[in-house]
Amino acid sequence: MPDQNTVPPQLLHIVIGGELRHLGEPTFRDLSQVEFVGAFGSYDEAKKAWKARAQATVDNAHMRYFILHAHKLIDPRADAAQD
């Protein structure tokens, strides 16, 4: 039986989106207009938010949303070593 005090690991995912300059490359048309959809503790939560925003903007072919795996970019040990 799993321990009820065990907290599942938090894997930070960030969902952002905006209009791209060209469909073939992830370069935003205007960085000041990039939308921060939210930060989520799991991929499944992030995917739900990503899907909702992507479906809401389906009429704009240049609008794209991305899930960033922020937990892979954060290493507090490396930050502490540079101080």
Side-chain angles (χ1 to χ4, degrees), residues 26-67:
T27 303
F28 292 108
R29 187 174 302 222
D30 182 354
L31 285 176
S32 70
Q33 297 298 312
V34 171
E35 177 187 0
F36 173 75
V37 177
F40 304 91
S42 73
Y43 180 79
D44 289 338
E45 291 175 81
K47 187 175 178 183
K48 287 177 189 175
W50 166 84
K51 186 175 182 179
R53 289 305 299 141
Q55 288 178 338
T57 59
V58 72
D59 291 337
N60 183 345
H62 283 87
M63 187 68 78
R64 291 287 190 277
Y65 287 86
F66 301 92
I67 299 174

Side-chain angles (χ1 to χ4, degrees), residues 70-82:
H71 61 93
K72 294 181 180 181
L73 304 174
I74 299 172
D75 185 356
R77 295 168 300 211
D79 290 342
Q82 293 177 5

